[in-house]
Amino acid sequence: LIYRESVRCRTSRQMDYEAAIQFCVGVTEEAAVIVNKFATGDIKDLQEETKDDASPVTAADKATNEFIVEKLQKKFPGTRVIGEESAADVSESLDKGIVFYVDPIDGTKEFIDRVPQFTIMIGLVDCGVPVGGVVHNPSTGETFYATKGKGAFLRTKDTKDAPQKIQCDTTTTDIANMTETQSRSHPNDRVKEMVSLLGIGKVLKSGSAGLKLCTIARGQAHIYMSWAAGYTGHWDTAAGCAIAVESGAMFGIIHPAEKKIKPMYYSGLKTKHEENWFCTVPQLWDATCKVLCDQGWATE
C-alpha cells in the first residue's frame, strides 16, 4: 500500500520523538492562552494584513509564531524550526535531518470570523518523513497528537491524564454513507467533482487543514482532498498527516506534472507543497485512486 512506504523510509532517529511530541503538546496549550486573548479581545487588535499569497495574517499569528518558535529553539538547539510567519532556514534540502513545522493559527480566516475552527499545530519531520504532530484547538481545548509507531491520541480538558486513543473509521463500507470533509473558506471545483464521482453522501465543511485531518483520525470523516498545489505550506500538513496516518488513514500526494501517486514527503528548498494531496480511510483508498486515474488526474 502506497501510504505505508512513507512509514518505512529511513529516518535519522537523532531525537526521542515521543518526548519531543509531549513537549510540543504543552507548548501548543501554552500558546492557546495567547490566541484566546486575541480571540476574545477587540477585533481592531488583530491588525489584519494580507500576505503575498493573498492569505490573511494577524498580530495573533505573529505573536504565537514567535512564542512557539522560541520555545522549540531553546529546547532543541541546532534543530531547524520553520514557522509560517518567520523566515525559513532552507540552506539545505528539507529532507536533511529533523525539522519542526509550526502553524501558529491554522484557519486564520475562521479565527478572524470568530468561528471556532482554527488550530495551533506543530509537526515533526525527520529526513522528510512525518514522525509526529500536535494539533490543538484553542476554542474547545482539544489536543490531537501522535508519534510514529505509537498511535494517535485525543486529549481534552477532562482527559488530560488519560488521553483517548483514536482510530479512523474502518467499518463503513458503503461510500454513500461516507463523509468528505472540505474547506469552509477555500471551495474547489476539482474536489467537488471528486466527491460527485465517488458518490460520497455527506459533506462536512470546516476551517483548518489540521482539524479536517483530525476529523478523519477520530472517525468522523472519510476523505479530505487539497487540490491547491503551490498554495498549502508544509506547516499546514505535517502535524495532521502524522496524526491521520497513525490513526490508520492513508495519505498520498500527486505532482501536477508527474501525476504519480506517492506517499507524503517533505524535501527540496521550498516550504510550500508543489503537489496536490489527499487523505482517505483504507477502504476508500482504491476507489479514490481509480477515479483519479480514470480522470487522468493521476497515475499509480
Side-chain angles (χ1 to χ4, degrees):
L1 295 176
I2 293 171
Y3 82 114
R4 288 300 180 194
E5 293 178 15
S6 65
V7 179
R8 295 197 298 268
C9 287
R10 182 181 300 174
T11 55
S12 70
R13 300 192 180 279
Q14 295 176 348
M15 180 180 288
D16 182 335
Y17 302 148
E18 196 166 14
I21 288 302
Q22 287 302 317
F23 176 78
C24 291
V25 166
V27 171
T28 60
E29 292 179 353
E30 287 181 57
V33 176
I34 300 172
V35 174
N36 283 332
K37 184 177 180 181
F38 278 98
T40 57
D42 192 322
I43 192 72
K44 294 179 181 179
D45 293 336
L46 294 182
Q47 301 173 37
E48 181 183 350
E49 301 173 22
T50 301
K51 296 192 287 188
D52 292 340
D53 63 1
S55 64
V57 64
T58 70
D61 292 87
K62 296 176 181 179
T64 308
N65 189 95
E66 182 179 359
F67 173 82
I68 296 174
V69 169
E70 184 177 329
K71 282 276 188 178
L72 292 174
Q73 289 177 334
K74 184 175 181 180
K75 179 69 175 179
F76 306 102
T79 300
R80 278 193 286 181
V81 180
I82 296 179
E84 180 176 9
E85 311 306 341
S86 49
D89 177 4
V90 288
S91 54
E92 62 177 351
S93 181
L94 293 167
D95 59 353
K96 304 296 183 183
I98 295 172
V99 182
F100 283 100
Y101 288 101
V102 176
D103 194 334
I105 301 179
D106 182 39
T108 299
K109 287 188 177 180
E110 284 69 30
F111 173 71
I112 293 169
D113 293 341
R114 300 295 200 260
V115 176
Q117 296 174 348
F118 51 89
T119 60
I120 302 167
M121 306 198 297
I122 303 176
L124 175 59
V125 174
D126 190 355
C127 291
V129 180
V131 295
V134 181
V135 175
H136 176 72
N137 185 334
S139 302
T140 64
E142 292 178 321
T143 305
F144 300 86
Y145 66 93
T147 308
K148 182 176 178 291
K150 302 293 184 180
F153 295 85
L154 168 60
R155 160 173 155 152
T156 68
K157 294 176 180 177
D158 299 325
T159 63
K160 285 192 174 183
D161 296 326
Q164 170 193 0
K165 189 169 186 177
I166 56 175
Q167 292 181 310
C168 67
D169 174 22
T170 58
T171 60
T172 302
T173 56
D174 185 348
I175 296 180
N177 291 328
M178 292 186 181
T179 299
E180 182 249 357
T181 180
Q182 64 179 234
S183 175
R184 172 183 174 272
S185 302
H186 304 286
N188 184 282
D189 290 339
R190 177 64 56 84
V191 172
K192 290 179 181 178
E193 188 173 358
M194 274 295 301
V195 172
S196 176
L197 290 168
L198 281 168
I200 294 172
K202 305 172 187 175
V203 173
L204 176 64
K205 294 185 178 182
S206 173
S208 170
L211 195 59
K212 288 189 279 289
L213 289 169
C214 288
T215 301
I216 294 176
R218 73 190 306 181
Q220 295 179 347
H222 302 87
I223 183 172
Y224 172 36
M225 301 194 72
S226 174
W227 215 264
Y231 183 79
T232 55
H234 291 188
W235 44 77
D236 289 310
T237 62
C241 177
I243 295 167
V245 170
E246 281 300 313
S247 79
M250 304 168 75
F251 214 108
I253 59 174
I254 308 167
H255 194 282
E258 185 182 344
K259 294 187 178 181
K260 187 174 178 60
I261 300 172
K262 297 180 179 180
M264 177 60 85
Y265 191 72
Y266 298 77
S267 63
L269 301 176
K270 296 181 179 180
T271 57
K272 291 289 186 76
H273 288 292
E274 297 182 308
E275 310 88 1
N276 299 304
W277 49 269
F278 63 104
C279 177
T280 81
V281 292
Q283 67 273 28
L284 188 57
W285 179 264
D286 287 344
T288 302
C289 291
K290 184 178 186 305
V291 169
L292 287 167
C293 293
D294 286 350
Q295 296 300 312
W297 300 331
T299 59
E300 289 194 89

